[in-house]
Amino acid sequence: MNWQHLWTFLWLRWRLRINQLRRGGIANVVIQTILLVAAFASAGVLFVSFLSLGLFALKDAQPAELMYVLDGIVLGFLLVWATGLLTELQRSEALSLEKFLHLPVSLSSAFLINYLSSLPSLSLLWFLSAMLGLNLGLLYSRGLAMLLLLPMLAAFVLMVTALTYQFQGWLATLMANPRRRRTIIVTATMFFILLCQLPNLVNILRPWENHAKQEQTTRLFQEQEQRHKELARDLETGKISPQEYQKRQATLDREFEARFKKEKEERIRQTVMPAEDTIRLMNLLLPPGWLPVGLEAAAEGWLWPILLAILGPSLIGSASLWRAYHTTMRLYTGQYTSGKTAGVPARSVSEGGSQPSLTPRDGGTRANLLEKNLPWLSEQASVITLAAFRSLVRAPEAKMLLLSPLLMLIVFGSMFFATARADVPEAVRPLIGFGAMVMVLFSMSGLLGNQFGFDRDGFRVFVLSPARRRDILLGKNLAIAPIAFAMAAVAAALVQVVYPMRADRFLAFVPRFVSMYLLYCIVANVLSILVPMRIAPGSMQPSKPGGLTILLQLVFMFSCPILMSLTLLPVGIELAAEAMGLRYVPLDLLLSLVECAAIGGIYILLLGLQGDWLQAREQKILQIVTTKAN
């Protein structure tokens, strides 16, 4: 590294910052000054609070308790840091290296300044203030061994910031494509939502609870209640006097309190000790946990965890910076954008004809996705189905909506496992499966209820195409069907695991969901034709929906469960037959198949009428979905 170049880049960075403030005007300077003062004031409050914590609250704490406190601080910092990372996924360079490539300067200095410029943030300021206050308090209350926390803290900050900088640089190489950029943003958002749901899932599952000990405590309360009843019975029959009753009652209460306290302490001991070992093991395995383990080791006087907390993050941070530098240089020198283009298949003229054909390199004939034919569908309906499905799996907004059912299955599925009861009546269990499949369909209402909103300018293809309008609606419905059926299969399997049913009743879920999906599509087609809404690119929110649109959406939400409840008629008929003594006949499965065929015929009949309605309103739909402000 050339130090003269480093100082020159520092001066350039300072001048750029001064120029930015001048161009912003006086109001911008005043607002930024107020925000800066507020940030340092909050950091000062954190410093004093954690200084007091280290001086008084943690003065006589066990080393394991110090590890727990630091675990909480590290987890809170990483959560806030990840939130800030979501607001700026792609790295913004203070000094664009592209402008210095033609100059005989050391670009490593500019890279270092860019890295240091990325460090100032409110979350890092709060974290360092809290940690420095805690370190100073522990230094005065527990001795000079706490000085080792400073190099461990520096190594931890280097690791987190360097990994973040490398991650942002890697994303910069991927976000050159706008569609890929939106996909990354959607994926990161969904991952963060799932990450925020982890504490709720852990609280629902409660893995720390010992159910055997809970049952023992319940038996203890029942035994105490039985003893009180026997004592009251002796008082009523005159076997003991009131004075003797009060004396025995007090003795029973003291014995119960002693036994309950003993069992509580034993339960806490059996819960805390494995939890402490698990937390320590997780801290040793995961790099963010090396700092808490290092603090515990400093309090205990161990050496190797301290070395791990210093050398491990330092090596990871240094390797990340080295990798980030080379990735940045490859990005600016065009190595990510000037790769080889995909080979174009050679054109050859088939014998006996003049039309060119595409011949793959392997000599076979491989059909494009849109060139495939789906069974029992016309060529136009098949192409529309495959094209709509391809659009769904490529559009970031659609991916976001399609991930919603998965999140709902994870959250509500964990609640099912946590609250499972074996005494649920057999007759009620099909209703639970019905509710799970309704939940899957409603989570996809953003796609089914607004099937043309994501097409935007692409809807012109449907308007200009010679395809029958019923084929357009059929293709739109079938494109979402594989995803809906996959989610419903997972939901039904989850219900079967938690609330087992007879094989025939479980198999009846298949025709029942087909019937539910067809009924849902009938209403969704009406809604898509009547009140289409444009969805802005990179967003999942409709552009200024009107009052009538919102009202009809609410009507749609409330009417669909009533309509889909018709699919429960086979269940009711089978239960009524069993009540009359007709057992071991799979009426639910047989009648569900008959009902599915009837609803399929109704769907095909109404599809032609809805296609004519679509053709009458397609110009209005085109105007809505192609206008940015409707």
Side-chain angles (χ1 to χ4, degrees):
M1 179 180 296
N2 191 310
W3 291 102
Q4 184 178 1
H5 293 169
L6 176 63
W7 287 112
T8 303
F9 281 124
L10 282 175
W11 174 86
L12 178 61
R13 177 70 182 98
W14 172 254
R15 293 305 307 173
L16 289 174
R17 183 58 181 165
I18 294 298
N19 293 338
Q20 289 174 357
L21 292 176
R22 287 178 178 176
R23 286 196 302 268
I26 300 298
N28 182 48
V29 175
V30 172
I31 293 174
Q32 290 198 10
T33 303
I34 294 174
L35 293 177
L36 189 63
V37 171
F40 278 101
S42 60
V45 172
L46 283 174
F47 178 82
V48 174
S49 301
F50 280 87
L51 176 64
S52 304
L53 179 67
L55 282 173
F56 306 108
L58 300 179
K59 180 179 180 180
D60 300 319
Q62 297 295 324
E65 295 174 352
L66 296 177
M67 181 182 66
Y68 299 151
V69 171
L70 204 52
D71 274 328
I73 297 174
V74 169
L75 285 176
F77 164 69
L78 293 179
L79 182 61
V80 178
W81 184 265
T83 305
L85 178 61
L86 282 179
T87 61
E88 190 179 0
L89 281 176
Q90 188 174 355
R91 189 170 72 204
S92 58
E93 303 284 7
L95 300 175
S96 178
L97 301 186
E98 186 178 9
K99 301 182 181 302
F100 302 102
L101 290 176
H102 63 286
L103 298 177
V105 295
S106 174
L107 295 181
S108 58
S109 302
F111 174 82
L112 178 61
I113 292 173
N114 286 335
Y115 165 68
L116 295 177
S117 300
S118 68
L119 296 183
S121 64
L122 188 60
S123 57
L124 188 60
L125 177 63
W126 285 345
F127 176 69
L128 289 178
S129 300
M131 289 301 300
L132 291 177
L134 180 65
N135 187 29
L136 186 60
L138 292 175
L139 183 63
Y140 278 98
S141 62
R142 303 184 72 100
L144 294 176
M146 294 296 104
L147 276 176
L148 294 172
L149 183 59
L150 290 177
M152 291 188 291
L153 176 62
F156 175 81
V157 172
L158 173 64
M159 177 184 68
V160 172
T161 55
L163 284 174
T164 303
Y165 199 68
Q166 179 191 1
F167 177 70
Q168 289 178 318
W170 173 69
L171 288 182
T173 65
L174 298 178
M175 289 187 175
N177 188 330
R179 179 183 287 115
R180 188 183 294 170
R181 174 185 176 89
R182 293 196 297 267
T183 301
I184 292 173
I185 293 174
V186 167
T187 306
T189 304
M190 296 301 294
F191 175 77
F192 184 72
I193 292 174
L194 184 60
L195 186 65
C196 292
Q197 287 293 328
L198 285 180
N200 184 37
L201 297 177
V202 173
N203 184 54
I204 291 173
L205 297 176
R206 296 178 180 271
W208 57 83
E209 290 185 351
N210 191 328
H211 297 286
K213 287 295 181 181
Q214 288 181 350
E215 294 177 359
Q216 185 176 354
T217 303
T218 303
R219 289 195 299 269
L220 181 62
F221 276 97
Q222 293 175 350
E223 182 181 348
Q224 179 70 6
E225 183 179 0
Q226 183 64 26
R227 288 183 178 181
H228 276 289
K229 289 181 179 179
E230 293 176 358
L231 193 61
R233 193 180 304 114
D234 292 341
L235 178 63
E236 292 176 357
T237 57
K239 292 182 180 181
I240 57 175
S241 62
Q243 293 79 8
E244 183 68 19
Y245 171 78
Q246 293 179 358
K247 184 184 298 183
R248 291 187 180 183
Q249 188 179 35
T251 303
L252 286 177
D253 291 340
R254 286 195 298 270
E255 292 177 354
F256 173 77
E257 290 178 1
R259 292 177 60 188
F260 180 74
K261 183 179 180 180
K262 182 178 179 181
E263 288 195 4
K264 184 177 180 181
E265 292 176 352
E266 179 68 17
R267 185 167 64 251
I268 293 175
R269 186 183 65 82
Q270 293 184 0
T271 302
V272 169
M273 290 184 64
E276 181 178 333
D277 294 337
T278 303
I279 293 174
R280 185 175 291 107
L281 178 62
M282 294 297 293
N283 283 339
L284 289 173
L285 294 177
L286 300 177
W290 293 344
L291 179 62
V293 168
L295 179 60
E296 182 192 24
E300 289 279 6
W302 300 338
L303 179 61
W304 71 268
I306 298 175
L307 295 177
L308 175 65
I310 296 175
L311 298 180
S314 300
L315 292 175
I316 293 176
S318 301
S320 297
L321 286 180
W322 178 83
R323 181 63 180 172
Y325 174 72
H326 286 276
T327 301
T328 305
M329 292 303 299
R330 292 175 64 190
L331 174 64
Y332 282 116
T333 54
Q335 297 185 36
Y336 285 102
T337 57
S338 61
K340 296 181 180 180
T341 58
V344 179
R347 292 182 178 269
S348 63
V349 180
S350 58
E351 295 182 3
S354 60
Q355 295 296 328
S357 62
L358 296 180
T359 305
R361 292 182 179 180
D362 56 1
T365 56
R366 203 178 308 167
N368 190 292
L369 175 66
L370 301 183
E371 295 175 352
K372 296 181 179 179
N373 290 323
L374 297 179
W376 307 303
L377 293 179
S378 65
E379 183 179 1
Q380 295 173 339
S382 179
V383 171
I384 293 172
T385 301
L386 295 173
F389 180 77
R390 181 66 179 270
S391 176
L392 284 177
V393 298
R394 294 183 66 187
E397 307 88 351
K399 292 176 184 177
M400 188 76 167
L401 289 175
L402 293 176
L403 286 175
S404 300
L406 180 61
L407 290 178
M408 294 181 68
L409 285 176
I410 293 175
V411 175
F412 290 101
S414 61
M415 294 175 63
F416 270 158
F417 277 113
T419 60
R421 297 291 183 269
D423 55 352
V424 174
E426 179 74 19
V428 179
R429 296 180 183 184
L431 300 181
I432 299 176
F434 173 79
M437 291 187 290
V438 169
M439 178 193 70
V440 170
L441 288 177
F442 267 79
S443 64
M444 307 181 72
S445 60
L447 288 175
L448 279 169
N450 187 28
Q451 299 179 64
F452 307 118
F454 293 94
D455 292 335
R456 295 181 283 271
D457 291 339
F459 188 75
R460 301 179 192 274
V461 177
F462 294 133
V463 175
L464 299 175
S465 69
R468 293 184 300 173
R469 290 345 185 209
R470 67 181 304 275
D471 287 342
I472 295 176
L473 291 174
L474 179 61
K476 286 286 188 178
N477 296 159
L478 292 179
I480 308 176
I483 304 168
F485 277 79
M487 294 294 178
V490 174
L494 182 63
V495 172
Q496 179 66 10
V497 170
V498 181
Y499 304 104
M501 290 170 280
R502 289 197 331 240
D504 59 297
R505 286 185 174 173
F506 177 68
L507 291 177
F509 279 161
V510 178
R512 179 172 298 119
F513 185 75
V514 174
S515 302
M516 293 171 61
Y517 185 76
L518 293 178
L519 291 173
Y520 197 80
C521 286
I522 291 174
V523 182
N525 289 342
V526 173
L527 196 67
S528 300
I529 297 171
L530 187 60
V531 283
M533 296 178 291
R534 172 187 167 86
I535 304 297
S539 170
M540 294 177 297
Q541 297 297 326
S543 302
K544 299 181 181 180
L548 178 62
T549 301
I550 297 175
L551 178 61
L552 290 177
Q553 290 283 348
L554 292 176
V555 172
F556 170 75
M557 295 290 290
F558 285 106
S559 63
C560 276
I562 300 175
L563 184 62
M564 287 188 292
S565 63
L566 296 175
T567 60
L568 292 176
L569 285 176
V571 179
I573 294 174
E574 184 180 67
L575 293 177
E578 289 181 353
M580 292 186 295
L582 183 60
R583 298 179 180 273
Y584 309 112
V585 178
L587 290 177
D588 184 15
L589 178 59
L590 296 176
L591 294 178
S592 295
L593 290 172
V594 175
E595 185 183 45
C596 179
I599 293 177
I602 296 174
Y603 170 77
I604 294 175
L605 178 63
L606 293 179
L607 197 62
L609 300 177
Q610 290 177 340
D612 296 337
W613 191 21
L614 173 61
Q615 187 170 8
R617 283 187 53 83
E618 61 185 12
Q619 295 296 330
K620 181 64 176 178
I621 297 174
L622 178 65
Q623 180 183 359
I624 293 174
V625 299
T626 57
T627 304
K628 294 185 178 180
N630 50 33

